[in-house]
Amino acid sequence: MKQEITRSELETVSNKILVTNRWNIIYNCVHFACDVWNTVADKRVMPFFYPPVARLQIRVKGDGEL
């Protein structure tokens, strides 16, 4: 999926990245990516910890490409 964002939204995304400093079996790279995406996205992605589930959501909600 892709989305154009404003300068203000870019600052929001950057701040989310800077303040997110945790990692465990549930909060992993997929959860982090979904959280960052969801800070400004029109189409939200539920942050499941299992990558294939997140990928399926993106396929269904996005343009079908991955």
Coordinates of all heavy atoms in Angstrom, one line a residue:
M1 N 0.8 -1.2 0.0 CA 0.0 0.0 0.0 C 0.9 1.2 0.0 O 2.0 1.2 0.5 CB -0.9 0.0 1.2 CG -1.9 -1.1 1.2 SD -3.1 -1.2 2.5 CE -2.5 -0.5 3.9
K2 N 0.3 2.3 -0.5 CA 1.1 3.5 -0.5 C 0.1 4.7 -0.2 O -1.1 4.5 -0.4 CB 1.8 3.8 -1.8 CG 0.9 3.8 -3.0 CD 1.8 3.9 -4.2 CE 0.9 3.8 -5.5 NZ 1.6 3.9 -6.7
Q3 N 0.7 5.8 0.3 CA -0.2 6.9 0.6 C 0.7 8.2 0.6 O 1.8 8.1 1.2 CB -0.9 6.8 1.9 CG -1.7 8.0 2.3 CD -2.5 7.7 3.6 OE1 -3.0 6.7 3.8 NE2 -2.5 8.7 4.5
E4 N 0.3 9.2 0.0 CA 1.0 10.5 0.0 C 0.7 11.1 1.4 O -0.5 11.0 1.9 CB 0.6 11.4 -1.1 CG 1.1 10.9 -2.4 CD 0.8 12.0 -3.5 OE1 0.8 13.2 -3.2 OE2 0.7 11.5 -4.7
I5 N 1.7 11.7 2.0 CA 1.5 12.3 3.3 C 2.0 13.8 3.2 O 2.9 14.1 2.4 CB 2.2 11.5 4.4 CG1 3.7 11.4 4.2 CG2 1.5 10.2 4.6 CD1 4.4 10.7 5.4
T6 N 1.5 14.6 4.1 CA 1.9 16.0 4.3 C 3.2 16.0 5.1 O 3.6 15.1 5.7 CB 0.9 16.8 4.9 OG1 0.7 16.3 6.3 CG2 -0.5 16.7 4.2
R7 N 3.8 17.2 5.1 CA 5.0 17.4 5.9 C 4.7 17.2 7.4 O 5.4 16.6 8.1 CB 5.5 18.8 5.7 CG 6.7 19.2 6.5 CD 7.2 20.6 6.3 NE 7.5 20.8 4.9 CZ 8.6 21.0 4.4 NH1 9.7 21.1 5.2 NH2 8.8 21.2 3.1
S8 N 3.5 17.6 7.8 CA 3.1 17.4 9.2 C 2.9 15.9 9.5 O 3.3 15.5 10.6 CB 1.8 18.1 9.5 OG 1.3 17.9 10.7
E9 N 2.3 15.2 8.6 CA 2.2 13.7 8.8 C 3.6 13.1 8.8 O 3.8 12.1 9.6 CB 1.3 13.2 7.7 CG -0.1 13.6 7.9 CD -1.0 13.2 6.7 OE1 -0.5 13.1 5.5 OE2 -2.2 12.9 6.9
L10 N 4.5 13.5 8.0 CA 5.8 13.0 8.0 C 6.5 13.2 9.4 O 7.2 12.3 9.9 CB 6.7 13.6 6.9 CG 8.1 13.1 6.9 CD1 8.2 11.6 6.7 CD2 8.9 13.8 5.7
E11 N 6.3 14.3 10.0 CA 6.8 14.6 11.3 C 6.2 13.7 12.3 O 6.8 13.2 13.2 CB 6.5 16.1 11.7 CG 7.4 17.0 11.0 CD 7.1 18.5 11.3 OE1 6.6 18.7 12.4 OE2 7.4 19.3 10.5
T12 N 4.9 13.4 12.2 CA 4.2 12.4 13.1 C 4.8 11.1 13.0 O 5.0 10.4 14.0 CB 2.7 12.4 12.7 OG1 2.1 13.7 12.9 CG2 1.9 11.4 13.6
V13 N 5.0 10.6 11.7 CA 5.6 9.3 11.5 C 7.0 9.3 12.1 O 7.4 8.3 12.8 CB 5.7 9.0 10.0 CG1 6.6 7.8 9.7 CG2 4.3 8.7 9.5
S14 N 7.8 10.3 11.9 CA 9.2 10.4 12.4 C 9.2 10.3 13.9 O 10.0 9.6 14.5 CB 9.9 11.6 11.9 OG 10.1 11.6 10.5
N15 N 8.3 11.0 14.5 CA 8.2 11.0 16.0 C 7.8 9.7 16.5 O 8.3 9.2 17.6 CB 7.2 12.1 16.5 CG 7.7 13.5 16.3 OD1 8.9 13.7 16.3 ND2 6.8 14.4 16.2
K16 N 6.9 9.0 15.8 CA 6.5 7.6 16.2 C 7.7 6.7 16.2 O 7.9 5.9 17.1 CB 5.4 7.1 15.3 CG 4.9 5.7 15.6 CD 4.2 5.6 17.0 CE 3.6 4.3 17.2 NZ 3.0 4.1 18.5
I17 N 8.5 6.8 15.2 CA 9.7 5.9 15.0 C 10.7 6.2 16.2 O 11.2 5.3 16.8 CB 10.4 6.2 13.7 CG1 9.5 5.6 12.6 CG2 11.7 5.5 13.6 CD1 9.9 6.0 11.1
L18 N 10.8 7.5 16.5 CA 11.8 7.9 17.5 C 11.4 7.5 18.9 O 12.3 7.2 19.7 CB 12.0 9.4 17.5 CG 12.8 10.0 16.2 CD1 12.7 11.5 16.2 CD2 14.2 9.4 16.2
V19 N 10.1 7.5 19.2 CA 9.7 7.1 20.6 C 9.4 5.6 20.8 O 9.1 5.2 21.9 CB 8.5 8.0 21.0 CG1 8.8 9.4 21.0 CG2 7.3 7.6 20.2
T20 N 9.4 4.9 19.7 CA 9.1 3.5 19.8 C 10.4 2.7 20.0 O 11.1 2.5 19.0 CB 8.3 2.9 18.6 OG1 7.2 3.8 18.4 CG2 7.9 1.5 18.8
N21 N 10.6 2.2 21.2 CA 11.9 1.5 21.5 C 11.6 0.3 22.4 O 11.9 0.2 23.5 CB 12.9 2.4 22.2 CG 14.2 1.8 22.4 OD1 14.5 0.8 21.7 ND2 15.0 2.2 23.3
R22 N 10.9 -0.7 21.7 CA 10.6 -1.9 22.5 C 10.6 -3.1 21.5 O 10.4 -2.9 20.3 CB 9.3 -1.8 23.2 CG 8.1 -1.6 22.3 CD 6.8 -1.4 23.1 NE 5.8 -0.9 22.2 CZ 4.5 -1.0 22.3 NH1 4.1 -1.6 23.4 NH2 3.7 -0.6 21.5
W23 N 10.8 -4.2 22.0 CA 10.8 -5.4 21.2 C 10.6 -6.7 22.1 O 11.2 -6.8 23.1 CB 12.2 -5.5 20.6 CG 12.4 -6.6 19.6 CD1 12.8 -7.9 19.8 CD2 12.1 -6.6 18.2 NE1 12.8 -8.6 18.7 CE2 12.4 -7.8 17.7 CE3 11.7 -5.6 17.3 CZ2 12.3 -8.1 16.3 CZ3 11.6 -5.9 16.0 CH2 11.9 -7.1 15.5
N24 N 9.7 -7.5 21.6 CA 9.4 -8.8 22.3 C 8.8 -9.7 21.3 O 8.7 -9.4 20.1 CB 8.6 -8.6 23.6 CG 7.3 -8.0 23.3 OD1 6.6 -8.4 22.4 ND2 6.9 -7.1 24.2
I25 N 8.3 -10.9 21.7 CA 7.8 -11.9 20.8 C 6.5 -11.4 20.1 O 6.2 -11.7 19.0 CB 7.5 -13.2 21.5 CG1 7.2 -14.3 20.5 CG2 6.4 -13.1 22.5 CD1 8.2 -15.3 20.4
I26 N 5.8 -10.5 20.8 CA 4.5 -10.0 20.2 C 4.8 -8.7 19.5 O 4.3 -8.5 18.4 CB 3.5 -9.7 21.3 CG1 3.1 -11.1 22.1 CG2 2.2 -9.1 20.7 CD1 2.6 -12.2 21.2
Y27 N 5.5 -7.8 20.1 CA 5.8 -6.5 19.5 C 7.1 -6.6 18.7 O 8.2 -6.4 19.2 CB 5.9 -5.3 20.5 CG 5.9 -4.0 19.8 CD1 4.7 -3.4 19.6 CD2 7.0 -3.4 19.4 CE1 4.6 -2.2 18.9 CE2 7.0 -2.2 18.7 CZ 5.8 -1.6 18.5 OH 5.7 -0.4 17.8
N28 N 7.0 -7.1 17.5 CA 8.2 -7.3 16.6 C 8.2 -6.3 15.5 O 7.5 -5.3 15.5 CB 8.2 -8.8 16.2 CG 6.9 -9.1 15.4 OD1 6.2 -8.3 14.9 ND2 6.6 -10.4 15.2
C29 N 8.9 -6.7 14.4 CA 9.1 -5.7 13.3 C 7.8 -5.5 12.6 O 7.5 -4.4 12.1 CB 10.2 -6.3 12.4 SG 9.9 -7.9 11.7
V30 N 6.9 -6.5 12.5 CA 5.6 -6.4 11.8 C 4.7 -5.4 12.6 O 4.1 -4.5 12.0 CB 5.0 -7.7 11.6 CG1 3.6 -7.6 11.0 CG2 5.8 -8.6 10.7
H31 N 4.7 -5.6 13.9 CA 3.9 -4.8 14.7 C 4.4 -3.3 14.7 O 3.6 -2.4 14.5 CB 3.9 -5.3 16.2 CG 2.8 -4.8 17.0 ND1 2.6 -3.6 17.4 CD2 1.7 -5.5 17.5 CE1 1.5 -3.5 18.1 NE2 0.9 -4.7 18.2
F32 N 5.7 -3.2 14.7 CA 6.3 -1.8 14.6 C 5.9 -1.1 13.3 O 5.4 0.0 13.3 CB 7.8 -1.9 14.7 CG 8.5 -0.6 14.4 CD1 8.6 0.4 15.3 CD2 9.1 -0.5 13.1 CE1 9.2 1.6 15.0 CE2 9.8 0.7 12.8 CZ 9.8 1.7 13.8
A33 N 6.0 -1.9 12.2 CA 5.7 -1.3 10.9 C 4.2 -0.9 10.8 O 3.9 0.2 10.3 CB 6.0 -2.3 9.8
C34 N 3.4 -1.8 11.3 CA 1.9 -1.5 11.3 C 1.6 -0.2 12.2 O 0.8 0.6 11.8 CB 1.1 -2.7 11.8 SG 1.1 -4.1 10.6
D35 N 2.2 -0.2 13.3 CA 2.0 1.0 14.2 C 2.5 2.3 13.5 O 1.7 3.3 13.6 CB 2.8 0.8 15.5 CG 2.1 0.0 16.5 OD1 0.9 -0.3 16.3 OD2 2.7 -0.2 17.6
V36 N 3.6 2.3 12.9 CA 4.1 3.5 12.2 C 3.1 3.8 11.0 O 2.7 5.0 10.9 CB 5.5 3.3 11.7 CG1 6.0 4.4 10.8 CG2 6.5 3.1 12.9
W37 N 2.8 2.8 10.2 CA 1.8 3.1 9.1 C 0.5 3.7 9.6 O 0.0 4.6 9.1 CB 1.6 1.8 8.4 CG 0.5 1.9 7.4 CD1 -0.8 1.5 7.5 CD2 0.6 2.4 6.0 NE1 -1.5 1.7 6.4 CE2 -0.7 2.3 5.4 CE3 1.7 2.9 5.3 CZ2 -0.9 2.7 4.1 CZ3 1.4 3.3 4.0 CH2 0.1 3.2 3.4
N38 N 0.0 3.1 10.7 CA -1.3 3.5 11.2 C -1.3 4.9 11.8 O -2.4 5.5 12.1 CB -1.8 2.5 12.2 CG -2.2 1.2 11.6 OD1 -2.5 1.1 10.4 ND2 -2.2 0.1 12.4
T39 N -0.2 5.5 12.1 CA -0.2 6.8 12.7 C -0.8 7.9 11.7 O -1.3 8.9 12.2 CB 1.3 7.3 13.1 OG1 2.1 7.3 11.9 CG2 1.8 6.5 14.2
V40 N -0.7 7.7 10.4 CA -1.2 8.6 9.5 C -2.1 8.0 8.3 O -2.6 8.7 7.5 CB -0.1 9.5 8.8 CG1 0.6 10.3 9.9 CG2 0.9 8.6 8.1
A41 N -2.2 6.7 8.3 CA -2.8 6.0 7.2 C -4.3 6.2 7.1 O -5.0 6.2 8.1 CB -2.5 4.5 7.2
D42 N -4.9 6.2 5.9 CA -6.3 6.2 5.7 C -6.8 4.7 5.8 O -7.9 4.5 6.4 CB -6.7 6.7 4.3 CG -6.4 8.2 4.1 OD1 -6.4 8.9 5.2 OD2 -6.1 8.6 3.0
K43 N -6.0 3.8 5.3 CA -6.4 2.4 5.4 C -5.5 1.8 6.5 O -4.3 1.6 6.3 CB -6.1 1.7 4.1 CG -7.0 2.1 3.0 CD -6.7 1.3 1.7 CE -7.5 1.7 0.6 NZ -7.2 1.0 -0.7
R44 N -6.1 1.5 7.6 CA -5.3 0.9 8.8 C -5.0 -0.6 8.6 O -5.8 -1.3 8.0 CB -6.0 1.2 10.1 CG -6.2 2.6 10.4 CD -6.9 2.9 11.6 NE -6.3 2.3 12.8 CZ -5.3 2.9 13.5 NH1 -4.8 4.0 13.1 NH2 -4.8 2.3 14.6
V45 N -3.9 -1.0 9.2 CA -3.5 -2.4 9.2 C -3.4 -2.9 10.6 O -2.7 -2.3 11.4 CB -2.2 -2.6 8.5 CG1 -1.7 -4.1 8.5 CG2 -2.2 -2.1 7.0
M46 N -4.2 -3.9 11.0 CA -4.1 -4.5 12.3 C -2.7 -5.1 12.6 O -2.3 -5.9 11.7 CB -5.2 -5.5 12.5 CG -6.6 -4.9 12.5 SD -6.9 -3.7 13.8 CE -6.7 -4.7 15.3
P47 N -2.1 -4.7 13.6 CA -0.7 -5.2 13.9 C -0.6 -6.6 14.5 O -0.4 -6.8 15.7 CB -0.2 -4.1 14.9 CG -1.4 -3.6 15.6 CD -2.5 -3.7 14.6
F48 N -0.8 -7.6 13.6 CA -0.6 -8.9 14.1 C 0.9 -9.2 14.1 O 1.7 -8.7 13.3 CB -1.3 -9.9 13.1 CG -2.8 -9.8 13.2 CD1 -3.5 -9.2 12.2 CD2 -3.4 -10.4 14.2 CE1 -4.9 -9.1 12.3 CE2 -4.8 -10.4 14.3 CZ -5.5 -9.7 13.3
F49 N 1.4 -10.1 15.0 CA 2.8 -10.3 15.1 C 3.3 -11.3 14.1 O 4.5 -11.5 13.9 CB 3.1 -10.8 16.5 CG 2.5 -12.2 16.8 CD1 3.3 -13.3 16.6 CD2 1.2 -12.3 17.3 CE1 2.7 -14.6 16.9 CE2 0.7 -13.5 17.6 CZ 1.4 -14.7 17.4
Y50 N 2.4 -12.0 13.4 CA 2.8 -13.0 12.4 C 2.8 -12.4 11.0 O 1.8 -12.0 10.5 CB 1.8 -14.2 12.5 CG 2.2 -15.4 11.7 CD1 3.4 -16.0 11.9 CD2 1.4 -15.9 10.7 CE1 3.8 -17.1 11.2 CE2 1.7 -17.0 10.0 CZ 2.9 -17.6 10.2 OH 3.2 -18.7 9.5
P51 N 4.0 -12.2 10.3 CA 4.1 -11.5 9.1 C 3.1 -11.9 8.0 O 2.5 -11.0 7.3 CB 5.5 -11.8 8.6 CG 6.3 -12.0 9.9 CD 5.3 -12.7 10.8
P52 N 2.8 -13.2 7.7 CA 1.8 -13.5 6.7 C 0.4 -12.9 6.9 O -0.2 -12.6 5.9 CB 1.8 -15.1 6.7 CG 3.1 -15.5 7.2 CD 3.5 -14.4 8.2
V53 N 0.0 -12.8 8.1 CA -1.3 -12.2 8.4 C -1.3 -10.7 8.0 O -2.2 -10.2 7.3 CB -1.7 -12.3 9.8 CG1 -3.0 -11.6 10.1 CG2 -1.8 -13.8 10.2
A54 N -0.2 -10.0 8.3 CA -0.1 -8.6 7.9 C 0.0 -8.5 6.4 O -0.7 -7.6 5.8 CB 1.1 -8.0 8.6
R55 N 0.7 -9.3 5.8 CA 0.8 -9.3 4.3 C -0.5 -9.5 3.7 O -0.9 -8.9 2.7 CB 1.8 -10.4 3.9 CG 1.9 -10.5 2.4 CD 3.0 -11.4 1.9 NE 4.1 -10.5 1.7 CZ 5.3 -10.9 1.4 NH1 5.6 -12.2 1.4 NH2 6.3 -10.1 1.1
L56 N -1.3 -10.5 4.2 CA -2.6 -10.7 3.6 C -3.5 -9.5 3.7 O -4.2 -9.1 2.8 CB -3.3 -11.9 4.3 CG -4.7 -12.3 3.9 CD1 -4.7 -12.7 2.4 CD2 -5.2 -13.4 4.7
Q57 N -3.5 -8.8 4.9 CA -4.3 -7.6 5.1 C -3.9 -6.5 4.0 O -4.7 -5.9 3.4 CB -4.0 -7.0 6.4 CG -4.6 -7.7 7.6 CD -4.4 -6.8 8.8 OE1 -5.1 -5.8 9.0 NE2 -3.4 -7.2 9.6
I58 N -2.6 -6.4 3.8 CA -2.1 -5.4 2.9 C -2.6 -5.7 1.5 O -3.0 -4.9 0.7 CB -0.6 -5.3 2.9 CG1 -0.2 -4.7 4.3 CG2 0.0 -4.4 1.8 CD1 1.3 -4.8 4.6
R59 N -2.5 -7.0 1.1 CA -3.0 -7.4 -0.2 C -4.5 -7.1 -0.4 O -4.9 -6.7 -1.4 CB -2.8 -8.9 -0.3 CG -1.9 -9.3 -1.5 CD -1.7 -10.8 -1.5 NE -0.3 -11.0 -1.4 CZ 0.4 -11.6 -2.3 NH1 -0.2 -12.1 -3.4 NH2 1.7 -11.8 -2.1
V60 N -5.3 -7.4 0.6 CA -6.7 -7.2 0.6 C -7.1 -5.7 0.5 O -7.9 -5.3 -0.3 CB -7.4 -7.9 1.7 CG1 -8.9 -7.5 1.8 CG2 -7.3 -9.4 1.6
K61 N -6.4 -4.9 1.3 CA -6.7 -3.5 1.4 C -6.0 -2.6 0.4 O -6.4 -1.5 0.1 CB -6.4 -3.0 2.8 CG -7.2 -3.6 3.9 CD -6.8 -3.0 5.3 CE -7.7 -3.7 6.3 NZ -7.5 -3.0 7.6
G62 N -4.9 -3.1 -0.1 CA -4.1 -2.4 -1.0 C -4.5 -2.6 -2.5 O -5.6 -3.0 -2.8
D63 N -3.5 -2.5 -3.3 CA -3.8 -2.7 -4.7 C -3.5 -4.1 -5.2 O -3.5 -4.4 -6.4 CB -2.9 -1.7 -5.6 CG -1.4 -1.9 -5.3 OD1 -1.0 -2.9 -4.7 OD2 -0.7 -1.0 -5.8
G64 N -3.2 -5.0 -4.2 CA -3.0 -6.4 -4.6 C -1.6 -6.8 -4.9 O -1.3 -8.0 -5.1
E65 N -0.7 -5.9 -5.0 CA 0.7 -6.1 -5.3 C 1.5 -6.3 -4.0 O 1.3 -5.6 -3.0 CB 1.3 -5.0 -6.1 CG 0.7 -4.9 -7.4 CD 1.4 -3.7 -8.2 OE1 2.5 -3.4 -8.0 OE2 0.7 -3.2 -9.1
L66 N 2.4 -7.3 -4.0 CA 3.4 -7.4 -2.9 C 4.6 -8.1 -3.5 O 4.6 -8.9 -4.3 CB 2.8 -8.3 -1.8 CG 2.1 -7.6 -0.7 CD1 1.8 -8.5 0.4 CD2 2.9 -6.4 -0.1

